[in-house]
Amino acid sequence: MNDNNDQDDKKNGKDPFDFFKLSTDPDRNDKDHNDKRPRIPIWLILLAFFIGVSLFNWFFVLRNDSAIDFSEFKRLIQNGQIVRVEIGETYFLGFTKDSAAASGAERNNLPSFLFAPGSTSGTVYKTVGILTEDFLTLLDEKGIAYKAVKNQRSIILQLLFNLIIPVGILFLMYRFIFKRMGGLGGSIFSAGQSRAAAVEEGKVTTRFSDVAGVDEAKEELVEVVDFLKSPQKYTEIGGKIPRGVLLVGPPGTGKTLLARAVAGEAGVPFFRISGSDFVEMFVGVGASRVRDLFKQAREKAPCIVFIDELDAIGKSRINSISGGNDEREQTLNQLLVEMDGFDNTTGLILLGATNRPDVLDPALLRPGRFDRQVVVDRPDVQGREAILKIHAKNVKLDDSADLSAIAKITSGCSGADLANIINEAALLAVRCGRKKVSMTDLSEAVEKATIGLQKKSKVIREEERRVIAYHETGHAIAANYTEGADKVHKVTIIPRGTSTLGYTFHIPEDDKHIITEKQLLAEIDVLLGGRAAEQVAFGVVSTGASNDLMRAADIARSMIADYGMSSKFKNVALSKRGAGYLGHSDPQLVREYAESTQQYIDEEIARIIDTRYEVIVAMLTEKKTLLEYIANRLLEKETIEQQEFDDIIKAENELVAKTAAAKKSSGTKKDSKTVKTAKPRSKTTGA
């Protein structure tokens, strides 16, 4: 019966020894989340076992409460009351005439391991004796029969202490060590089993309403949901649903969330596995796991199989050197065969996700396998607002919290970034002792997520603070007076992150999908504004503009080598870049142009940077009064918000207009100088 039960448990995916597994096993939470059996840690079992053995040994083996003194034992021998003695390892037993006869009769009829000292009829004396020559001489003189007993414990106790306990300890060590190491012996035979995390039907709670900012992708997947709900509509007319749907997009845009939403809307089981789970150190394990995954999926059909990070096993075999990774290629080949092998009328749909579609094998992307590619891109401003509203459902927001304003200043953020911003804002509100999240918390969360943690305790010398203030003011003024540049949202000299001593926060008016040459030059102007301000204010430059110069050089290099915006190589792309979503891909390792072309690119970059730098220096020289005023204001307040900055610029423009009007009316240099002395401090102090 026990063997049958064990076999039934194994069929149901349960280990008959599962009770002895560690309660901290990470796989148990996924496999046995509905198992209500108590989980007892193995160290507690071992502790209870050793305590029980110690108590048993004390009360039934080692205790000598009924033993008499050895001197009394010898006196009974001399008096003739003891007629037979058993000399054991632990104690001596003395038998009287009645007890010796009874003991002999019992031992002739019953097994010896059933005896315990004192269990016979008559009187048996027990003592802890000392085996000496005088004691043996006494026994010989009195004619006492005696014999040596090797072990006075029963055979059961001998088996318990000599065999069962050591084997049990070794077994528990096996369960503890080898199972934790990955299963030498136990799991090595199941290495080819799929590691897919299966979610049963109806237990996927994610819906399309939980996904925002990717409306086009949701529309593409609605057809998949409809097929899983009612496949007969398509099969009756002879239609075939796509076997595979590939979700392509940058990290954090919601590819996995979309896959779960499809399973939740359709109400079917959901198998989730990562591409790296197929690859192991053992040859053939990956292909075996692919077969096992599709076997389980066919049994659960209709269902959805979701393979995350598909590029881990789906990389192209074309560019493989010396055959490439044979194990990975075997896994890919098995995946291709399985995708061709299953019948698409059964309701088995394969969803894949990757942020590197450019490296996937062409055989994986052909019709019949992944027929459809759905782009899950970063959300636009409306999508970001919708995502923020979804993540803010369970967060208490103050009346001042404006999610639409936060959506405007988070251009380029993915759904995961926006979720993190909402969570950081809630944590900041709790840290400040507020019951609701305010707009201040949201703005601070955006800066913390995009720039870094604020470091108010960082000590900066006054001379460096002045340089930083003028540097950031130069960025802000250049952004304000350069056509095509983004608006200034905030200027601050409070350090953040690892190396940011101050920053100017820009807000794009809308999401940009293409950038003109004029806008690229405007971005270079803004980046050079910091160093130009140092040159105008102090006559020397510092190392604070190192990052600005690198970014400006990258933009200029892209204009020449990638966008064909040079005078010599017009409309010619000199470099090749990948189509991945992991940031800006590096150019190819081997360039396809001559050394003289590289020299031209370097010279043209230097020319563009030098030309734009002269333009910005001239502009800041003209606006030196404004530069000094805003820099001094920054030294006082450390932060200037957008409204205050706009008021200062507006006052400056009004002052310039009045000055021009005064020059025109008077026509004298004296009147012009009189007007210039009226600096805009009084007009902007209260702003």
Side-chain angles (χ1 to χ4, degrees):
M1 292 297 294
N2 293 335
D3 295 338
N4 294 333
N5 292 335
D6 292 345
Q7 293 177 0
D8 294 338
D9 289 340
K10 291 181 179 178
K11 290 180 180 179
N12 296 329
K14 296 181 180 179
D15 191 347
F17 297 102
D18 188 57
F19 180 78
F20 295 101
K21 286 185 179 180
L22 281 175
S23 62
T24 56
D25 189 354
D27 296 334
R28 296 178 65 89
N29 296 329
D30 295 333
K31 296 179 181 178
D32 300 328
H33 61 279
N34 292 326
D35 197 350
K36 301 301 182 182
R37 289 179 300 173
R39 304 300 182 193
I40 303 177
I42 191 170
W43 64 267
L44 188 59
I45 297 175
L46 292 175
L47 181 62
F49 176 78
F50 284 116
I51 291 176
V53 169
S54 300
L55 293 176
F56 179 84
N57 196 34
W58 171 255
F59 284 103
F60 296 98
V61 179
L62 299 179
R63 291 194 62 178
N64 297 312
D65 295 343
S66 59
I68 62 176
D69 295 339
F70 187 51
S71 59
E72 179 66 17
F73 191 82
K74 291 192 293 183
R75 188 185 64 80
L76 294 174
I77 293 175
Q78 292 176 350
N79 295 338
Q81 297 183 18
I82 294 179
V83 298
R84 188 170 63 86
V85 175
E86 289 186 0
I87 303 172
E89 296 176 348
T90 308
Y91 44 79
F92 299 165
L93 294 179
F95 297 89
T96 60
K97 293 181 180 181
D98 297 338
S99 63
S103 175
E106 291 175 355
R107 291 179 186 273
N108 290 331
N109 298 324
L110 296 176
S112 61
F113 63 83
L114 296 178
F115 286 104
S119 63
T120 59
S121 58
T123 304
V124 178
Y125 297 99
K126 180 173 66 173
T127 185
V128 179
I130 302 174
L131 185 60
T132 61
E133 186 176 353
D134 295 340
F135 181 70
L136 295 178
T137 303
L138 175 63
L139 295 178
D140 293 334
E141 290 177 353
K142 296 296 182 179
I144 303 298
Y146 62 90
K147 67 177 181 178
V149 182
K150 183 177 181 181
N151 197 337
Q152 291 170 316
R153 298 173 183 172
S154 66
I155 298 178
I156 294 180
L157 290 180
Q158 295 183 40
L159 289 174
L160 176 64
F161 287 101
N162 296 336
L163 181 62
I164 297 178
I165 292 178
V167 172
I169 293 175
L170 291 176
F171 175 76
L172 293 176
M173 290 177 62
Y174 163 80
R175 300 292 297 181
F176 177 74
I177 297 176
F178 293 107
K179 284 293 184 181
R180 299 287 287 181
M181 291 176 60
L184 287 177
S187 296
I188 191 172
F189 300 106
S190 61
Q193 295 181 359
S194 173
R195 292 185 176 181
V199 183
E200 294 296 333
E201 179 180 351
K203 293 184 179 180
V204 182
T205 59
T206 308
R207 299 292 184 268
F208 279 147
S209 58
D210 300 322
V211 186
V214 284
D215 297 334
E216 295 80 5
K218 287 197 294 186
E219 292 175 1
E220 288 287 327
L221 296 173
V222 165
E223 186 176 302
V224 176
V225 174
D226 189 39
F227 174 80
L228 291 172
K229 286 184 176 180
S230 53
Q232 65 278 1
K233 291 195 308 182
Y234 299 89
T235 56
E236 287 176 358
I237 201 173
K240 296 180 180 179
I241 201 70
R243 296 188 179 187
V245 179
L246 182 62
L247 303 176
V248 179
T253 51
K255 299 184 290 294
T256 305
L257 188 65
L258 265 176
R260 292 184 62 87
V262 172
E265 291 285 347
V268 295
F270 180 73
F271 290 85
R272 182 182 183 276
I273 190 171
S274 174
S276 60
D277 289 336
F278 291 108
V279 183
E280 281 287 351
M281 62 181 291
F282 303 107
V283 177
V285 170
S288 176
R289 286 179 177 173
V290 171
R291 289 191 294 267
D292 187 67
L293 171 63
F294 279 88
K295 179 182 177 182
Q296 295 180 33
R298 290 189 189 98
E299 296 173 354
K300 295 285 186 178
C303 66
I304 290 177
V305 178
F306 177 63
I307 303 179
D308 202 1
E309 305 298 340
L310 184 64
D311 52 277
I313 59 171
K315 286 185 179 180
S316 177
R317 297 164 292 180
I318 298 175
N319 298 325
S320 298
I321 302 175
S322 301
N325 188 335
D326 292 337
E327 173 62 17
R328 181 179 58 79
E329 290 188 4
Q330 289 180 16
T331 306
L332 175 59
N333 292 334
Q334 186 63 42
L335 178 62
L336 297 176
V337 172
E338 292 291 342
M339 292 186 68
D340 272 340
F342 69 83
D343 184 8
N344 58 348
T345 61
T346 59
L348 175 59
I349 295 179
L350 183 64
L351 294 181
T354 182
N355 44 42
R356 294 297 306 276
D358 55 314
V359 302
L360 293 180
D361 195 277
L364 197 61
L365 302 178
R366 73 159 177 83
R369 291 191 175 117
F370 281 107
D371 310 87
R372 185 176 298 179
Q373 292 189 26
V374 178
V375 178
V376 187
D377 208 350
R378 290 186 177 90
D380 55 11
V381 62
Q382 295 179 352
R384 291 195 296 272
E385 184 177 355
I387 293 173
L388 288 171
K389 288 181 179 179
I390 288 177
H391 292 294
K393 282 183 179 179
N394 299 324
V395 178
K396 297 180 180 179
L397 297 178
D398 191 66
D399 295 336
S400 62
D402 187 2
L403 297 181
S404 61
I406 298 299
K408 292 179 181 179
I409 65 175
T410 52
S411 177
C413 291
S414 63
D417 297 329
L418 298 174
N420 182 48
I421 287 172
I422 293 295
N423 185 63
E424 286 290 343
L427 298 179
L428 288 171
V430 174
R431 186 184 303 173
C432 297
R434 288 187 284 269
K435 298 296 183 181
K436 293 184 178 181
V437 177
S438 64
M439 188 63 181
T440 304
D441 299 323
L442 291 171
S443 300
E444 177 65 21
V446 171
E447 296 180 27
K448 182 179 179 181
T450 56
I451 302 175
L453 183 64
Q454 189 177 114
K455 294 184 177 180
K456 293 184 178 180
S457 60
K458 193 168 186 177
V459 179
I460 301 177
R461 294 186 297 111
E462 187 62 29
E463 294 81 359
E464 292 180 347
R465 288 184 75 249
R466 287 184 59 81
V467 174
I468 297 170
Y470 276 92
H471 183 99
E472 299 304 330
T473 303
H475 285 312
I477 294 178
N480 186 80
Y481 288 101
T482 301
E483 187 178 357
D486 296 330
K487 290 184 177 180
V488 177
H489 177 66
K490 177 188 286 188
V491 186
T492 181
I493 58 174
I494 298 177
R496 278 187 180 272
T498 56
S499 59
T500 304
L501 300 178
Y503 60 94
T504 303
F505 200 16
H506 303 278
I507 300 179
E509 294 183 357
D510 49 16
D511 295 326
K512 298 177 182 178
H513 303 287
I514 59 173
I515 305 176
T516 64
E517 182 178 3
K518 186 177 182 179
Q519 291 173 331
L520 290 172
L521 292 175
E523 190 171 349
I524 293 177
D525 290 349
V526 174
L527 290 171
L528 296 176
R531 169 156 286 194
E534 297 177 17
Q535 179 71 38
V536 171
F538 306 106
V540 294
V541 294
S542 68
T543 60
S546 59
N547 182 257
D548 300 331
L549 297 179
M550 286 189 292
R551 291 166 59 190
D554 288 339
I555 295 173
R557 181 178 293 105
S558 298
M559 292 175 62
I560 301 167
D562 298 337
Y563 308 138
M565 297 179 180
S566 63
S567 58
K568 185 176 180 180
F569 296 98
K570 288 184 178 180
N571 307 321
V572 177
L574 300 176
S575 62
K576 295 180 181 179
R577 297 182 182 271
Y581 292 94
L582 295 176
H584 195 56
S585 301
D586 293 332
Q588 58 186 4
L589 296 178
V590 181
R591 62 170 182 254
E592 296 181 352
Y593 48 83
E595 186 67 30
S596 58
T597 303
Q598 180 64 53
Q599 182 179 356
Y600 168 77
I601 293 175
D602 297 337
E603 293 174 352
E604 190 68 8
I605 291 173
R607 185 193 64 80
I608 293 175
I609 298 297
D610 186 60
T611 302
R612 303 316 303 175
Y613 184 74
E614 291 178 358
V615 172
I616 294 300
V617 168
M619 183 191 67
L620 292 178
T621 302
E622 183 182 352
K623 302 289 184 181
K624 187 173 182 180
T625 303
L626 181 63
L627 175 66
E628 293 178 350
Y629 177 76
I630 297 179
N632 291 328
R633 187 76 171 169
L634 266 178
L635 291 171
E636 295 175 5
K637 297 185 61 178
E638 292 188 334
T639 300
I640 296 179
E641 300 289 345
Q642 180 181 3
Q643 184 62 44
E644 183 178 0
F645 182 79
D646 292 341
D647 291 341
I648 295 174
I649 297 299
K650 183 179 179 181
E652 170 68 14
N653 294 336
E654 291 178 355
L655 181 60
V656 171
K658 289 181 180 179
T659 303
K663 282 184 178 181
K664 186 176 181 180
S665 61
S666 62
T668 60
K669 186 176 181 180
K670 180 178 179 180
D671 294 337
S672 176
K673 289 183 177 180
T674 304
V675 176
K676 284 186 178 180
T677 56
K679 296 183 180 180
R681 297 180 183 273
S682 60
K683 293 186 178 181
T684 57
T685 301

